[in-house]
Amino acid sequence: MLVTVIGLGLIGGSLALELKKRLGYTVHGIDANVANAQKALALGIIDKIVDFNQIADSDVVVLAVPVNFLPDLAINVLDTVKKDTIVFDMGSTKEKLSKTVENHEKRTNFVAVHPIAGTEHSGPEAAIYHLFDDKVNIICDKELSSEVAVTKVLDIFNALNMRTIFMNSAEHDKHIAYVSHLSHISSFMLGKTVLEKEKNEKNIFDMAGSGFESTVRLAKSSPNMWTPIFIENKENILSSLNEYIDNLTAFKNLIIEEDKKGLQQTMLETNHIKEVLTGIQK
Amino acid sequence: MLVTVIGLGLIGGSLALELKKRLGYTVHGIDANVANAQKALALGIIDKIVDFNQIADSDVVVLAVPVNFLPDLAINVLDTVKKDTIVFDMGSTKEKLSKTVENHEKRTNFVAVHPIAGTEHSGPEAAIYHLFDDKVNIICDKELSSEVAVTKVLDIFNALNMRTIFMNSAEHDKHIAYVSHLSHISSFMLGKTVLEKEKNEKNIFDMAGSGFESTVRLAKSSPNMWTPIFIENKENILSSLNEYIDNLTAFKNLIIEEDKKGLQQTMLETNHIKEVLTGIQK
């Protein structure tokens, strides 16, 4: 099985490693950044660096580049590969990509995939073996892909011990704006606010154990990856961000009014997130 | 050495456990909630449940109740204990407490302490052995305490492998508003926003691995503990919250304008938090 992975960062690199090490596939790698490709080769994440014009014979092509490059890349790859090559992306936004490939003659070769896994680190050196294990994988618009393609993708992600769920692209982008993209913005702005105020960084370091360290973790994430996500999923993110700012403002007003009952009640209701995250439904 | 711990939740319970198990002290416990006191006894966190009128002979009295109860409790305890009993609190806000005990005749017996350690859980069953190890401890206004009292407190927290730093109460409350209290509010409101939007909680559970789980962790925290903190440290928290909302609004505008350069630059600058948290100063 010959797989070409385009984009050898945290996600593409981690998948390449799994395909090679766990599944025994031959993995070719492409990265616009030559140094990244060489690092991936040196780290044993891929078997060989190839050019775009060498992808035609791959059984599977994986697109793991920032989401702004995905639509054009998907079209170019589908134009280039052989008739039965399976192509899937791993991006965090789906609607625009989905519309772009909609009428391509090889649309059924394509599967829109989003494995919910990652860390705040980036680049091939951030690739982790077992990154995907026991996490959730999302396949979007599966009815637009061939059964063969979906089955192959499921085989791969099942082998990585992921649990795959299905939804359409529009639903995916809406939910992920709230549950993932908003978390990143809240964390980035928390980091910014604290950095602006605390000119003496020693104070931040000393007090980081008080909850800050975990809430600000995502502020270490890659701007190259996140800038295009925020633009691509603009409408959903703006809705979530407006609601978040409204909630913060309402909470601020409770503090101004010293409304103990209101503060208590708001936090108590939000504590329900405990049960949600342990999978217990009310 | 006889120590009485008043308030047997996460923090008081964890400290009681350390004093008993690691330092071999005799630990008496008091909790307004009888069930909590009994749990602490059953869990072996304390040696004995006592009444407030039995605290007089303690060598050390620890105040580990929610911050709204601290000022009155501190006065009552200082009124009651013998001449050389050392009293310290473990609260997350200090200015009001500091003003309340300022003119007490036993002021020098008192030490204002804030160990930067905790989890999102609460109650005696949340008490953890080794909770404080390798964390930072803050002593406020040490010049207002006797040397004997400060030395004793340092002995205890050094034995727990904490690194103690010193600052005054006003500074403490300002810094902790930004680095800790704001994190809790951002996390609570993130949880609220997502819970309000995602009526199907399965989606939250399935997508929580995408950054949400860590940023929302603090939204599991105890409303009984946090309501009084937000009121006590109102002014500092409102400053931090206003700046946070301003930053979120500015970031929202960058998204509306699709200002890639501005988004990229803002996130890149905030990435500096990486170096700060690993203790590397620019």
Side-chain angles (χ1 to χ4, degrees):
Chain A
M1 183 72 54
L2 173 61
V3 181
T4 301
V5 177
I6 306 180
L8 300 167
L10 164 68
I11 297 297
S14 296
L15 186 76
L17 191 61
E18 297 288 350
L19 297 176
K20 205 164 111 67
K21 201 165 155 185
R22 195 173 338 196
L23 300 179
Y25 293 178
T26 301
V27 180
H28 289 177
I30 296 179
D31 198 298
N33 180 326
V34 179
N36 267 0
Q38 284 166 345
K39 266 186 226 162
L41 187 64
L43 290 163
I45 288 172
I46 55 170
D47 293 298
K48 192 179 167 185
I49 300 172
V50 297
D51 285 331
F52 191 83
N53 58 28
Q54 293 170 275
I55 69 168
D57 289 331
S58 305
D59 299 300
V60 177
V61 177
V62 180
L63 317 179
V65 300
V67 295
N68 54 324
F69 297 119
L70 273 179
D72 284 355
L73 179 66
I75 295 293
N76 286 340
V77 168
L78 288 171
D79 284 348
T80 308
V81 292
K82 59 183 182 186
K83 217 180 59 186
D84 57 352
T85 298
I86 293 162
V87 180
F88 68 87
D89 81 299
M90 303 179 83
S92 186
T93 64
K94 294 299 185 207
E95 237 184 320
K96 191 173 165 193
L97 173 62
S98 171
K99 289 219 174 76
T100 307
V101 296
E102 197 172 24
N103 299 314
H104 196 283
E105 56 168 7
K106 295 204 198 94
R107 172 61 185 91
T108 57
N109 296 38
F110 178 74
V111 187
V113 183
H114 183 197
I116 306 288
T119 73
E120 66 277 26
H121 308 297
S122 50
E125 58 274 43
I128 297 172
Y129 191 52
H130 287 299
L131 175 68
F132 303 103
D133 277 82
D134 304 318
K135 309 255 168 68
V136 171
N137 184 42
I138 303 175
I139 290 182
C140 293
D141 310 320
K142 94 171 156 164
E143 67 287 357
L144 303 179
S145 309
S146 71
E147 260 194 68
V148 176
V150 172
T151 302
K152 180 66 199 165
V153 168
L154 277 173
D155 283 349
I156 290 174
F157 287 96
N158 288 343
L160 307 188
N161 298 319
M162 296 195 91
R163 176 169 64 88
T164 296
I165 60 172
F166 302 91
M167 55 181 73
N168 71 44
S169 293
E171 272 181 313
H172 168 275
D173 285 10
K174 198 189 80 182
H175 295 310
I176 207 79
Y178 281 82
V179 187
S180 164
H181 303 168
L182 180 60
S183 290
H184 283 79
I185 296 175
S186 86
S187 190
F188 265 113
M189 291 306 99
L190 181 69
K192 183 173 159 70
T193 305
V194 171
L195 280 173
E196 281 169 352
K197 190 66 178 193
E198 297 288 346
K199 300 299 177 202
N200 180 354
E201 296 176 354
K202 198 79 184 58
N203 285 326
I204 306 179
F205 178 69
D206 282 341
M207 297 185 176
S210 55
F212 182 63
E213 192 155 20
S214 64
T215 36
V216 86
R217 182 178 64 86
L218 301 176
K220 304 174 186 174
S221 303
S222 157
N224 290 332
M225 172 178 169
W226 284 97
T227 300
I229 291 175
F230 296 149
I231 306 258
E232 296 280 326
N233 204 15
K234 181 176 168 177
E235 295 312 322
N236 290 312
I237 288 173
L238 288 177
S239 302
S240 75
L241 203 40
N242 281 328
E243 289 164 34
Y244 184 53
I245 293 171
D246 287 349
N247 277 326
L248 286 164
T249 306
F251 200 78
K252 188 182 90 172
N253 290 331
L254 293 175
I255 296 177
I256 291 174
E257 294 153 16
E258 302 193 6
D259 181 347
K260 289 175 201 175
K261 235 174 145 176
L263 289 167
Q264 180 92 13
Q265 187 57 25
T266 303
M267 287 190 272
L268 204 61
E269 282 167 16
T270 308
N271 278 169
H272 174 54
I273 204 72
K274 245 187 275 193
E275 284 85 59
V276 174
L277 292 182
T278 47
I280 300 159
Q281 306 285 313
K282 244 188 189 165
Chain B
M1 182 73 54
L2 174 62
V3 181
T4 301
V5 177
I6 306 179
L8 299 167
L10 165 69
I11 298 297
S14 296
L15 186 75
L17 191 60
E18 297 288 349
L19 297 176
K20 204 165 113 66
K21 200 165 155 184
R22 195 174 337 197
L23 299 179
Y25 293 177
T26 301
V27 180
H28 290 178
I30 295 179
D31 199 297
N33 181 326
V34 179
N36 267 2
Q38 284 166 346
K39 266 186 226 164
L41 186 65
L43 289 164
I45 288 171
I46 55 171
D47 293 298
K48 192 179 166 186
I49 300 171
V50 297
D51 284 332
F52 191 83
N53 57 27
Q54 294 169 273
I55 69 168
D57 289 332
S58 305
D59 299 300
V60 178
V61 178
V62 180
L63 316 179
V65 300
V67 296
N68 53 324
F69 298 119
L70 274 179
D72 285 355
L73 179 66
I75 294 294
N76 286 341
V77 168
L78 288 171
D79 285 347
T80 309
V81 292
K82 59 183 183 187
K83 218 178 59 186
D84 58 351
T85 298
I86 292 163
V87 180
F88 69 88
D89 81 298
M90 304 179 83
S92 186
T93 64
K94 294 298 185 210
E95 240 187 317
K96 191 174 167 195
L97 173 61
S98 172
K99 289 219 173 76
T100 306
V101 297
E102 199 171 23
N103 298 313
H104 196 282
E105 54 168 6
K106 296 206 198 93
R107 172 61 184 91
T108 57
N109 297 38
F110 178 74
V111 187
V113 183
H114 184 196
I116 306 286
T119 72
E120 68 276 25
H121 307 298
S122 49
E125 58 275 43
I128 297 171
Y129 192 51
H130 288 299
L131 176 67
F132 303 102
D133 278 82
D134 305 318
K135 310 257 167 67
V136 171
N137 184 41
I138 303 176
I139 290 183
C140 292
D141 310 320
K142 95 171 152 164
E143 66 288 354
L144 302 179
S145 309
S146 71
E147 259 194 67
V148 175
V150 172
T151 302
K152 179 67 198 163
V153 168
L154 277 174
D155 283 350
I156 289 174
F157 287 96
N158 288 343
L160 306 188
N161 298 319
M162 295 196 92
R163 177 168 65 85
T164 296
I165 60 172
F166 302 91
M167 55 181 74
N168 69 44
S169 292
E171 273 181 311
H172 169 275
D173 285 9
K174 200 189 80 180
H175 294 311
I176 208 77
Y178 280 83
V179 187
S180 165
H181 303 168
L182 180 59
S183 291
H184 282 79
I185 296 175
S186 86
S187 191
F188 266 113
M189 290 306 100
L190 180 69
K192 183 172 158 69
T193 307
V194 171
L195 280 174
E196 282 169 351
K197 189 67 177 194
E198 296 289 346
K199 299 299 176 204
N200 180 354
E201 297 176 353
K202 198 79 185 58
N203 285 326
I204 305 179
F205 178 71
D206 283 339
M207 295 185 176
S210 55
F212 182 64
E213 192 155 19
S214 64
T215 36
V216 86
R217 182 179 64 85
L218 301 176
K220 303 174 187 173
S221 303
S222 156
N224 289 332
M225 171 177 170
W226 284 96
T227 300
I229 292 175
F230 295 150
I231 307 259
E232 296 280 326
N233 204 15
K234 180 177 169 178
E235 295 311 321
N236 290 311
I237 288 173
L238 288 177
S239 301
S240 75
L241 202 41
N242 281 327
E243 289 164 36
Y244 184 54
I245 292 171
D246 287 350
N247 278 326
L248 285 165
T249 306
F251 200 79
K252 187 182 91 173
N253 289 332
L254 293 174
I255 296 176
I256 291 173
E257 293 154 16
E258 303 193 7
D259 181 348
K260 288 175 201 175
K261 237 175 143 172
L263 289 168
Q264 181 93 13
Q265 188 58 25
T266 303
M267 287 190 271
L268 205 60
E269 283 167 17
T270 308
N271 277 169
H272 175 53
I273 204 71
K274 243 186 278 194
E275 284 86 56
V276 174
L277 292 182
T278 48
I280 300 158
Q281 306 286 313
K282 242 190 187 163

